[in-house]
Amino acid sequence: MKRLVTDRVLLLVALLVVLVVWMSLLGANGYLVAPYDVDYLLSSLESVVPLCLLGVAELLVIVSGRGGIDLSVGAMVSLVGMAFGFMVGDWHWPVWIAIIGAVLAGAVLGAVNGFLVAWLGVPALIATLATYYAFSSLALVSNDNAPISTQPVQDLHSLTSTVGQVPTQVFTFLLPCVVLAWLLANRTNYGRRLYAIGTNEAAARFAGLPVVKIRFRAYVLSGALSAVVAVITVAQFASARPDAGTVGNGMALPAITIAILGGTAITGGIGRIGGVVIASLFVVWLNAGILLAFEDSRGSQYQLLALGAVLVASALLNRATLTRRE
Amino acid sequence: SKKDQPATGDQARVKVAFVPKLQGIPYFEAMNTGGQKAAKDLGIDWIYKGGTTADPGAQTEILKSLIQQKVDVLVVAPNDPDSVVPILADAASKGIKVLTSDTDAPNSVREMFVNQATADGIGKSVIDSLMTAMNQRGKFAIVSCGQTAANLNSWIDVQKRHAAEKYPDATLVDTVYAGEDEAKAVSMAKDLMNAHPGLTGLIGQCTASAPGVAKAVREAGKIGKVFTVGVGTPNSMKPYLQDGSSSAAVLWDVEQLGYLTAWAGLKVKKGEQPQATSNVSAKLPAVKYEDKTLLLGDPLKLTKDNVGDYDY
Amino acid sequence: MSKTEGQEVVLIAVLAVLWLALGFGTDTFFAASNLQNILATVAPVTIIGIGMTAVIVTGGIDVSVGSALAVVLVLVAKLVRDSGLTLVPAVVAGLVAGGVLGALNGVLVAYGRVHAIIITFGTLNIFRFVALQIFEGKEVAGVPGTLELLGGGADGRSFGIPHSWLLAVLLAAGMWFYMRHAPTGRHLYAIGGNAPAARLAGIRVNRRLVGVYAVTGVLVGLAACCVIGGGGLVAQSAGTGLELQVIAAVVIGGTSILGGRGSVLGTVLGALLVGTVTSAVTLLGWRSELTALFIGVFILLAVGADLVRERRRRRE
Amino acid sequence: MTTTTDALLSLTGIRKHYGGVYALRGVDFEVRTGEVHGLVGANGAGKSTLIKIISGAEKPDDGTAHLNGTQLAEGDTVAALKAGIATVYQDPQLFGELTVAENVFVGRELRKHGRVDWPQQRRRAGQLLESLGLPPKLAARRIADLSVAEQQLVSVAKALAHEARVLILDEPSAILTDREIDTLFHAIRSLKERGVGVVYVSHRLDELAQITDRVTVLRDGNVVASHAAKDLTVRRIAELMVGHALDDDTAERAAPTGEPALVVADLRRRNRFTGVSFEVRPGEIVSLFGLVGSGTGSIARAVHGVEPADSGQVRKGQTAMLPGDRARQGVFATKSVGFNISIASLKGLWLKRKRERTTAEEFIRRMRIKTQGPSALVATLSGGNQQKVVLARQLVERPEVLILEEPTQGVDVGAKEEIHSLVGDIVGRGTAVLLVSSDLPEVMRLADRILVVRGGRITARFGKGAAQADVLAAAAGDE
Ligand SMILES: Nc1ncnc2c1ncn2[C@@H]1O[C@H](COP(=O)(O)OP(=O)(O)OP(=O)(O)O)[C@@H](O)[C@H]1O
Ligand SMILES: Nc1ncnc2c1ncn2[C@@H]1O[C@H](COP(=O)(O)OP(=O)(O)OP(=O)(O)O)[C@@H](O)[C@H]1O
Ligand SMILES: [Mg+2]
Ligand SMILES: [Mg+2]
């Protein structure tokens, strides 16, 4: 019981179970406008994919410490998405080459952030705020504000069809990326060092770790993951939009929210991939449930309340348990 | 509270769901009002469900929840015409009838598009109104909203072409994008007036920038020197039409658009094809149908004389 | 007492160069109407930036200001339009509403002892929800010109200068004096430098934190009144993305995002720089989409200048 | 416990636990007016915890504290400060971006018309610094630009800035040189004359006879003895602390041979050090010794490569460095003991978790680290044990050159013995050791050669068996 409140992943799993059981009961008893069933949950996974991948990207940079954060992920999704759109839609590159090209482009954009943050020492919040502005502007300029949705781009939608009820991209993109990220964080020396520099940078430097390179790579990875999301988003919507990752509130704020909700410590050095995965499942399924709870437009409003309340409550709960342990 | 379950005897009531680009702007709320009126007249269920931001992703999630709800007819005003293509195909494959309204998604499986007015009609009407005010000559600029909004961009194309063809003495000097943000539209309109001292015309391309450009003219004290025309809703344009900072607003009867949308939904569900000209209601006596497109009619020109007739 | 006032000098120089270049490059930059427009446009960001500077100096951040602005906007707009509130009560209502939201942030940050970015990410969503509830699904159109004195029109100016910007400068001067010379103002720097040590030194850390967030809220309220100004339309999307603009102004002004260092005067100049760049893009007839690119570049230049100065200090 | 009439501060039955760790198990403690009360104990004995309870930084689980007969509020630093309890914590609690003067008065600023009275503060701070042997002009400098030792003295000045009735000093001397310690003692004596009660925590047991009137020894959260200082010898105190008798023989090592493992030639960094040249052979311990600010730490860090040098050459084999500031540069506090030990010696792509565990277990055994095991969090260990963990990290790789900066700072005598003998082992196996320490007996005991640094230059070189007084005189300069 005590671990339930101190261990963020366990807590989230418990919350997730409560949510699903409760919503299913509501649905079965006619309190929702439609059943909250397996099919619905599986089809919602489509929204989990980008959220979870960007959440993992945020985890990597937040864990790297020194106020690590990446506000530019949404802008990178827009810009890489446009690049991908050009490669597939205008230049008619084969899809696989274009995907590799997109990921490389994302890595390059991430490297710009990494250079600013790790090499020059610009605080991450500021560096990525600047690149957020710059990348989103470039995305708009790249094709005169217009989306790219020529036939080859529309054909990309087959990348995101379904296997059974599950969106294909869960298997082709999400799981491989999450497994790789998990291995990276927990089973490689790079992961160890990443957590080390985030926990205590000075100690890491004395221990002879190449702090700059390690942090730089975290931002490159964040760019590459954003590129994967860009590819998925272009395919899912059959269109490369210059504001794909920045429209509305953009993709960065939800991704950071997911990372934090998943238990990533904003001070660096602490955070688990599993937490991010469960947190994104929780938020998406919660939102999907809320939409079914209202027949009219209020659902989207209550989603905001729920997300805010869950974030504040979980942070305070974490704090309370930490204080008690001290 | 327990939601109303369709009673077994009520099977026949058709559920028409409309998904606007976003909730909470008067334009779509007025469509909702019209849709509700039609629902009462026609004996159908009308669902209005929109996101809090004009974001294709949020729209997709709402569409998904409506598919899960197994509505009979799904009408959408897409934020991005191409982005809704896949989800609409998904809906159709589950036996749901799919339509678009307000903004079309021509590449989708939609069976019908309920068009308020053609891009041609709106674009030309805006230019003609502005040119009347500007005496057919001078410099003008456009304050548009979302950079990627497909319908706004198509109107801009028509406006450019039409102005070039019909008003050789008028020149379009700049097109700027203020987002869906009135304050930003005000500031950018002022920037345009400063940048081009000879500017005499401004177009507010959407319901946020139409009052914005008028307010800018009013605050700059240039009423009578700079003329504005915009695509704005009656209540928001009323004060500006009255003091002359706006010469005219081009719109259409949005409530009737909502009404027509609901009517079209029912038609499609029943599998009926509208006639070339249909009598929908007293207010919509002759709606034209051609090429899978139902046309509400000509654009409505709001001036200080008729703006009081509408309340949204 | 630390000498951080280097950024102001750099900013003044950059602004002077920009203004001169624009003055020569365009016929209209120095037109009164243009300068008035720039000042009126940057006033709300400047006003909120004053509070944000203090918040960031304490080592915190407030990303909820955009949503809080939306709450105050819709509240005041409705009060003015539907209840016929006059200028003073309307402004008071705005300040109180903003203050309550800010104080809520402050209490959660101070007593929850959770990093401010997490708390305010949460309240960003919650406040937006509250705003939407007050909107009741409709934007507020036809707001009368009750707050004209704070707006961008002719009534909103004295000696040709917009009141809202004058107010911003006055408030900034007051905040500068407070943070520079008042003991409790100095404590903000101490808290940002080392909060546990500040507690041990007997500084009322929680009180100061609640204070700075509440003041930021009050300033958000005031900014909302300026935005409503001559009336018109308040849309549901109001304030979206404002937090990033404010943070950009503060950061360009030389305040360290890490806390413990910064000045309000820099923020005033930073906001002015952003306003100048935005206006310049239109004046020069460049594509408006490029504005964001330039803002990004200026953020980097500003931080780069700060880094170079700090390195030089270290080497001395 | 009976409260004697002249007790200024008295604590009764203080208990405190952190999770499963009992830091204090019912401690009685009192300080009389005008008394300097030494508080000693091994690492983790509970000294700092007791002090935090007096100062209000921690709340006791049980027990009461009285000052002059009035009960003190629990866990309230403001109330304690108001009551006249001034505390210098083990780690300086300062504000890097503020000036020295502001730091001295922070929280209790000198005011004029509600504003901070800058000139007055600067002047008063200058006087206080002078009384501690620092130049008054330092008052206008930013804390971040000061050395650790200077910062430590600023914390003392901060405590002296207000009329204190009780002054608590938690290991103020750990990073100070003897000269600075003398100045500090001078300041303490004058407070004592004014009737202030002083609590003085130190691991340098030889200081106790000089400055304290009474000594209380803590062991595992209990008071094991409390006697007049004159009745105790250093040896007796040490025995009380560790709970068994000590033997103090130093092992003789074979003379170093072979090519130098570390060669430093004409190393220079502006304003820090210049013309630094020396070599260290395998199996040799060379010590850099100097007073505060002399540049020894900067030289060591530049040799290791974590701080820059402007010119000069360093030729070295594989090098590891034990940093001087354990909390800031040593431990990864939220990570496990195993993580901390292995982090510098990861090889290849994949993490070898089994090897990490066995290595950690081996070092825990070899270095007698008191912990539940490799997966325990380092933050739960006492300071001395954390120091051993950080030292273990440097030894995993068997470096050719080992740089030790203040290896036994803040470490109790038992652990100090163990660390010294570990260093002996390491050198015995052919590692070259560069030792930077402000603890002269430690330097005398361990070093084969001593290089005295003054003003950033090596001013004297001594071999083994040099007289302690000569070394000190060289470091202090002839006056
Ligand atoms: N915040 C904390 N959380 C958990 N345990 C703690 C904490 N602070 C102290 N302890 C434990 O309490 C015990 C007493 O620690 P304390 O710091 O008082 O020792 P000390 O005598 O000051 O040692 P040192 O000489 O190393 O400074 C130790 O076992 C320590 O590990
Ligand atoms: N000329 C100078 N200008 C600025 N700072 C100086 C100067 N000289 C010395 N310092 C400061 O004093 C410190 C000198 O410490 P150094 O390492 O050289 O000697 P140390 O006695 O070993 O000090 P430490 O206790 O930090 O190890 C540095 O941390 C530096 O910040
Ligand atoms: Mg201690
Ligand atoms: Mg040193």
Side-chain angles (χ1 to χ4, degrees):
Chain A
M1 196 59 212
K2 198 167 143 208
R3 279 199 62 194
L4 205 58
V5 274
T6 53
D7 186 326
R8 177 53 67 98
V9 177
L10 273 184
L11 174 70
L12 283 167
V13 168
L15 279 177
L16 190 65
V17 170
V18 170
L19 170 78
V20 170
V21 169
W22 183 53
M23 280 285 177
S24 309
L25 284 176
L26 284 182
N29 291 300
Y31 287 94
L32 303 179
V33 295
Y36 187 78
D37 56 17
V38 175
D39 285 2
Y40 185 54
L41 291 182
L42 292 181
S43 80
S44 300
L45 289 177
E46 202 171 58
S47 313
V48 171
V49 176
L51 194 59
C52 182
L53 288 175
L54 293 182
V56 169
E58 294 293 347
L59 175 136
L60 293 175
V61 297
I62 295 174
V63 161
S64 82
R66 228 200 209 177
I69 201 155
D70 192 343
L71 294 178
S72 73
V73 288
M76 290 196 283
V77 169
S78 298
L79 187 50
V80 174
M82 289 309 284
F84 185 57
F86 279 118
M87 294 177 209
V88 176
D90 279 11
W91 308 334
H92 305 285
W93 291 13
V95 173
W96 285 109
I97 307 238
I99 290 179
I100 293 169
V103 172
L104 285 179
V108 169
L109 298 185
V112 173
N113 286 330
F115 176 73
L116 293 170
V117 174
W119 289 89
L120 297 187
V122 178
L125 191 79
I126 298 171
T128 59
L129 177 65
T131 55
Y132 155 82
Y133 279 123
F135 294 161
S136 49
S137 169
L138 291 175
L140 285 170
V141 175
S142 67
N143 193 37
D144 251 339
N145 296 333
I148 303 172
S149 49
T150 53
Q151 194 56 44
V153 174
Q154 290 179 30
D155 294 341
L156 286 174
H157 187 65
S158 59
L159 290 176
T160 55
S161 57
T162 55
V163 177
Q165 295 290 330
V166 184
T168 315
Q169 64 266 39
V170 171
F171 302 109
T172 51
F173 290 103
L174 180 67
L175 286 179
C177 286
V178 165
V179 168
L180 282 178
W182 185 87
L183 284 174
L184 185 81
N186 297 293
R187 289 289 182 270
T188 65
N189 289 330
Y190 172 75
R192 261 292 148 101
R193 295 186 175 124
L194 182 66
Y195 282 86
I197 66 166
T199 307
N200 186 340
E201 184 168 336
R205 195 166 285 136
F206 273 93
L209 304 190
V211 174
V212 169
K213 273 190 206 153
I214 296 168
R215 181 168 292 135
F216 174 77
R217 280 178 207 157
Y219 286 86
V220 172
L221 285 170
S222 171
L225 281 167
S226 305
V228 172
V229 173
V231 168
I232 296 168
T233 307
V234 170
Q236 183 182 338
F237 293 113
S239 157
R241 280 183 303 118
D243 60 355
T246 41
V247 68
N249 285 327
M251 287 184 172
L253 297 202
I256 295 166
T257 307
I258 287 295
I260 290 167
L261 188 60
T264 310
I266 202 80
T267 44
I270 295 175
R272 289 162 67 184
I273 305 284
V276 174
V277 174
I278 311 283
S280 49
L281 273 178
F282 176 75
V283 166
V284 167
W285 284 350
L286 177 66
N287 281 341
I290 291 174
L291 278 183
L292 292 188
F294 298 91
E295 179 128 58
D296 56 17
S297 290
R298 279 174 300 159
S300 319
Q301 302 178 11
Y302 278 89
Q303 286 180 342
L304 295 171
L305 176 67
L307 184 60
V310 166
L311 187 58
V312 172
S314 70
L316 292 180
L317 180 70
N318 226 27
R319 180 69 222 172
T321 51
L322 276 179
T323 323
R324 207 169 316 140
R325 253 191 315 177
E326 264 169 19
Chain B
S1 68
K2 196 154 173 154
K3 292 277 164 355
D4 298 321
Q5 289 289 89
T8 37
D10 221 7
Q11 286 283 358
R13 270 180 95 85
V14 173
K15 258 190 190 150
V16 178
F18 173 58
V19 180
K21 288 184 183 177
L22 78 164
Q23 56 165 287
I25 66 171
Y27 181 88
F28 287 113
E29 298 299 321
M31 270 187 83
N32 183 28
T33 312
Q36 278 169 349
K37 264 188 206 139
K40 212 176 278 164
D41 292 353
L42 304 172
I44 58 171
D45 282 337
W46 170 261
I47 298 170
Y48 171 77
K49 201 170 190 175
T52 52
T53 54
D55 163 8
Q59 204 168 28
T60 303
E61 278 168 32
I62 288 171
L63 287 167
K64 235 181 244 170
S65 78
L66 290 165
I67 295 172
Q68 174 75 0
Q69 199 182 337
K70 299 195 171 64
V71 295
D72 299 295
V73 181
L74 202 46
V75 192
V76 59
N79 280 309
D80 176 26
D82 292 309
S83 296
V84 289
V85 170
I87 183 85
L88 292 188
D90 191 30
S93 75
K94 298 209 163 106
I96 295 174
K97 300 288 176 193
V98 176
L99 291 82
T100 52
S101 181
D102 174 75
T103 304
D104 196 15
N107 297 327
S108 72
V109 297
R110 55 99 177 138
E111 293 182 39
M112 197 184 286
F113 168 46
V114 185
N115 197 357
Q116 60 272 46
T118 57
D120 220 44
I122 296 166
K124 283 181 177 164
S125 175
V126 167
I127 289 290
D128 290 339
S129 304
L130 183 67
M131 287 306 142
T132 312
M134 285 169 63
N135 213 6
Q136 316 220 344
R137 60 177 61 247
K139 293 183 191 166
F140 70 101
I142 299 175
V143 179
S144 188
C145 303
Q147 283 117 334
T148 60
N151 53 345
L152 303 190
N153 288 340
S154 71
W155 302 346
I156 293 175
D157 287 341
V158 173
Q159 286 159 351
K160 282 183 181 163
R161 217 175 325 114
H162 186 61
E165 280 167 14
K166 202 167 161 208
Y167 304 100
D169 294 338
T171 35
L172 173 65
V173 292
D174 204 353
T175 303
V176 299
Y177 300 88
E180 302 280 337
D181 181 345
E182 195 220 17
K184 203 166 167 201
V186 173
S187 166
M188 291 187 112
K190 287 184 181 172
D191 279 339
L192 286 168
M193 288 188 272
N194 289 322
H196 309 280
L199 192 83
T200 50
L202 279 168
I203 293 174
Q205 196 70 273
C206 71
T207 54
S209 68
V213 294
K215 187 175 176 183
V217 167
R218 177 202 272 181
E219 288 191 345
K222 293 199 169 171
I223 295 176
K225 292 184 200 120
V226 178
F227 304 93
T228 75
V229 171
V231 180
T233 49
N235 278 347
S236 69
M237 295 309 293
K238 200 186 294 175
Y240 304 111
L241 288 167
Q242 279 162 352
D243 74 6
S245 51
S246 173
S247 307
V250 172
L251 201 67
W252 40 90
D253 195 326
V254 185
E255 280 187 14
Q256 293 309 316
L257 179 62
Y259 194 102
L260 184 61
T261 300
W263 180 85
L266 182 60
K267 266 287 195 233
V268 170
K269 176 65 195 171
K270 285 189 187 154
E272 295 169 8
Q273 180 96 340
Q275 271 113 29
T277 309
S278 314
N279 182 359
V280 174
S281 70
K283 285 191 176 168
L284 292 168
V287 176
K288 293 207 175 66
Y289 180 74
E290 191 187 10
D291 193 19
K292 286 191 168 185
T293 301
L294 209 49
L295 188 64
L296 180 69
D298 293 328
L300 170 73
K301 197 166 147 184
L302 293 168
T303 61
K304 63 176 185 301
D305 304 319
N306 70 350
V307 68
D309 303 345
Y310 304 89
D311 183 25
Y312 55 84
Chain C
M1 281 292 290
S2 55
K3 287 210 186 77
T4 54
E5 288 87 358
Q7 189 82 356
E8 286 91 330
V9 180
V10 175
L11 278 173
I12 289 172
V14 171
L15 273 171
V17 169
L18 261 183
W19 285 29
L20 281 178
L22 287 167
F24 285 116
T26 69
D27 311 328
T28 50
F29 182 78
F30 283 116
S33 59
N34 185 52
L35 297 179
Q36 284 161 355
N37 183 32
I38 293 179
L39 295 186
T41 307
V42 301
V45 170
T46 311
I47 289 173
I48 299 173
I50 293 166
M52 186 72 87
T53 307
V55 164
I56 291 180
V57 161
T58 65
I61 197 159
D62 185 350
V63 296
S64 74
V65 288
S67 297
L69 184 89
V71 174
V72 182
L73 276 177
V74 60
L75 201 71
V76 174
K78 282 200 160 184
L79 286 173
V80 167
R81 188 191 63 179
D82 302 339
S83 316
L85 237 56
T86 53
L87 177 70
V88 173
V91 172
V92 170
L95 301 187
V96 170
V100 168
L101 299 179
L104 180 69
N105 277 332
V107 167
L108 288 172
V109 169
Y111 293 92
R113 296 209 198 166
V114 182
H115 195 283
I117 201 167
I118 305 179
I119 291 295
T120 55
F121 260 133
T123 53
L124 171 149
N125 288 298
I126 295 174
F127 293 167
R128 183 59 67 178
F129 167 78
V130 172
L132 292 177
Q133 293 299 302
I134 308 177
F135 271 111
E136 290 175 304
K138 292 182 197 65
E139 64 187 25
V140 188
V143 180
T146 312
L147 302 176
E148 184 68 87
L149 267 180
L150 296 172
D155 291 349
R157 293 194 286 265
S158 295
F159 318 110
I161 302 176
H163 296 149
S164 51
W165 195 73
L166 280 178
L167 208 55
V169 170
L170 272 178
L171 289 169
M175 185 61 108
W176 176 83
F177 185 85
Y178 173 74
M179 290 175 74
R180 183 73 177 73
H181 290 297
T184 50
R186 299 309 292 166
H187 293 172
L188 303 183
Y189 289 91
I191 293 168
N194 187 345
R199 279 204 173 83
L200 291 178
I203 292 174
R204 305 281 182 184
V205 175
N206 289 353
R207 239 183 256 179
R208 293 287 89 75
L209 287 179
V210 175
V212 290
Y213 286 90
V215 165
T216 304
V218 171
L219 292 170
V220 167
L222 183 62
C225 294
C226 297
V227 171
I228 292 175
L233 185 73
V234 173
Q236 295 203 359
S237 59
T240 311
L242 177 75
E243 59 281 350
L244 297 186
Q245 292 175 37
V246 175
I247 292 169
V250 172
V251 163
I252 291 177
T255 296
S256 163
I257 203 81
L258 310 173
R261 190 153 58 86
S263 133
V264 185
L265 300 186
T267 302
V268 174
L269 296 169
L272 203 53
L273 182 62
V274 172
T276 303
V277 170
T278 311
S279 162
V281 169
T282 311
L283 285 186
L284 294 168
W286 293 352
R287 310 177 51 163
S288 59
E289 303 91 292
L290 288 173
T291 312
L293 181 63
F294 291 122
I295 293 176
V297 169
F298 272 104
I299 292 175
L300 289 180
L301 290 180
V303 177
D306 190 47
L307 282 177
V308 168
R309 268 202 314 279
E310 189 62 15
R311 290 236 165 108
R312 203 173 300 151
R313 275 180 69 102
R314 285 270 148 79
R315 218 172 305 135
E316 269 163 16
Chain D
M1 154 132 190
T2 55
T3 317
T4 43
T5 43
D6 56 349
L8 178 60
L9 173 74
S10 72
L11 306 172
T12 351
I14 302 289
R15 287 172 196 283
K16 176 78 189 172
H17 77 279
Y18 296 101
V21 181
Y22 286 82
L24 297 172
R25 307 166 187 259
V27 168
D28 298 336
F29 183 70
E30 64 163 47
V31 183
R32 295 181 197 141
T33 315
E35 171 189 65
V36 179
H37 195 147
L39 183 61
V40 297
N43 290 125
K47 305 178 295 292
S48 297
T49 306
L50 188 64
I51 277 163
K52 286 181 192 156
I53 283 170
I54 302 174
S55 77
E58 292 276 7
K59 246 185 178 155
D61 301 333
D62 200 6
T64 54
H66 288 84
L67 183 69
N68 260 353
T70 7
Q71 186 158 354
L72 281 168
E74 285 178 359
D76 185 348
T77 49
V78 179
L81 281 169
K82 282 224 175 92
I85 297 175
T87 311
V88 177
Y89 295 95
Q90 196 166 350
D91 343 281
Q93 303 283 324
L94 300 172
F95 307 98
E97 288 291 335
L98 301 186
T99 61
V100 169
E102 276 196 86
N103 269 280
V104 166
F105 291 100
V106 72
R108 288 173 293 172
E109 286 78 4
L110 303 180
R111 292 161 199 234
K112 202 159 114 191
H113 312 307
R115 301 172 38 177
V116 176
D117 187 348
W118 298 115
Q120 177 77 356
Q121 277 200 6
R122 181 94 42 97
R123 210 166 44 75
R124 288 273 317 274
Q127 289 166 356
L128 285 165
L129 293 177
E130 212 162 14
S131 75
L132 292 168
L134 290 174
K137 67 176 196 310
L138 226 52
R141 289 267 294 280
R142 196 173 66 147
I143 287 287
D145 299 334
L146 265 51
S147 74
V148 185
E150 288 165 334
Q151 291 180 13
Q152 180 73 48
L153 290 172
V154 172
S155 322
V156 177
K158 186 173 153 188
L160 299 180
H162 303 275
E163 284 304 310
R165 291 150 83 188
V166 178
L167 175 67
I168 302 170
L169 300 160
D170 193 355
E171 297 192 35
S173 59
I175 52 168
L176 300 184
T177 54
D178 289 348
R179 191 125 156 286
E180 290 152 337
I181 291 171
D182 280 344
T183 329
L184 176 66
F185 284 180
H186 188 74
I188 291 176
R189 284 193 195 101
S190 76
L191 286 173
K192 180 179 146 93
E193 273 157 29
R194 279 189 263 148
V196 174
V198 178
V199 180
Y200 188 87
V201 180
S202 178
H203 285 298
R204 296 185 168 186
L205 304 182
D206 52 337
E207 291 172 0
L208 297 174
Q210 288 179 51
I211 188 73
T212 62
D213 302 306
R214 199 150 49 124
V215 174
T216 292
V217 183
L218 281 179
R219 189 165 74 224
D220 293 333
N222 290 306
V223 174
V224 291
S226 188
H227 298 294
K230 60 180 178 345
D231 300 339
L232 290 168
T233 61
V234 169
R235 196 180 179 82
R236 178 71 195 127
I237 297 173
E239 283 166 3
L240 283 167
M241 280 168 60
V242 294
H244 61 79
L246 286 172
D247 56 294
D248 70 351
D249 46 13
T250 35
E252 276 299 317
R253 286 189 309 274
T257 51
E259 285 299 296
L262 170 67
V263 180
V264 177
D266 203 19
L267 202 62
R268 194 184 93 91
R269 185 177 173 198
R270 224 177 109 238
N271 287 338
R272 297 290 165 84
F273 50 82
T274 180
V276 174
S277 305
F278 61 89
E279 11 186 272
V280 187
R281 288 168 199 285
E284 183 184 33
I285 303 181
V286 172
S287 174
L288 292 174
F289 177 76
L291 301 182
V292 67
S294 58
T296 52
S298 299
I299 295 170
R301 290 187 288 271
V303 168
H304 185 46
V306 288
E307 272 183 21
D310 297 333
S311 64
Q313 281 100 48
V314 176
R315 196 153 49 74
K316 62 190 182 193
Q318 207 213 353
T319 310
M321 175 167 179
L322 178 81
D325 184 339
R326 182 167 60 238
R328 283 195 196 81
Q329 304 162 339
V331 292
F332 298 95
T334 57
K335 298 288 175 261
S336 69
V337 171
F339 182 114
N340 270 276
I341 291 178
S342 71
I343 189 67
S345 49
L346 304 172
K347 289 271 146 53
L349 174 65
W350 299 102
L351 189 65
K352 294 171 189 73
R353 297 194 304 156
K354 212 171 273 161
R355 176 151 7 121
E356 172 179 304
R357 204 180 166 81
T358 49
T359 309
E361 275 163 354
E362 182 199 323
F363 277 94
I364 289 170
R365 213 171 343 97
R366 224 172 86 192
M367 301 179 76
R368 277 181 257 166
I369 299 170
K370 240 167 81 181
T371 170
Q372 284 157 355
S375 51
L377 294 189
V378 147
T380 61
L381 271 59
S382 78
N385 283 305
Q386 291 185 7
Q387 182 76 356
K388 288 191 203 165
V389 169
V390 180
L391 182 57
R393 180 191 307 151
Q394 323 307 335
L395 304 182
V396 177
E397 282 284 273
R398 302 233 177 140
E400 293 163 60
V401 180
L402 179 61
I403 302 171
L404 302 170
E405 188 180 0
E406 308 291 353
T408 58
Q409 181 180 100
V411 157
D412 70 64
V413 279
K416 194 168 182 171
E417 278 304 314
E418 286 170 13
I419 289 176
H420 283 175
S421 83
L422 277 166
V423 172
D425 288 353
I426 297 158
V427 176
R429 281 195 236 118
T431 298
V433 172
L434 177 64
L435 170 70
V436 174
S437 174
S438 52
D439 183 346
L440 189 52
E442 175 170 280
V443 170
M444 301 307 298
R445 182 173 177 194
L446 290 177
D448 296 308
R449 288 188 292 130
I450 302 168
L451 312 178
V452 174
V453 180
R454 185 150 49 89
R457 291 169 182 281
I458 297 178
T459 53
R461 295 169 191 252
F462 293 92
K464 216 175 169 76
Q468 200 158 323
D470 292 344
V471 176
L472 196 55
D478 295 309
E479 287 170 62

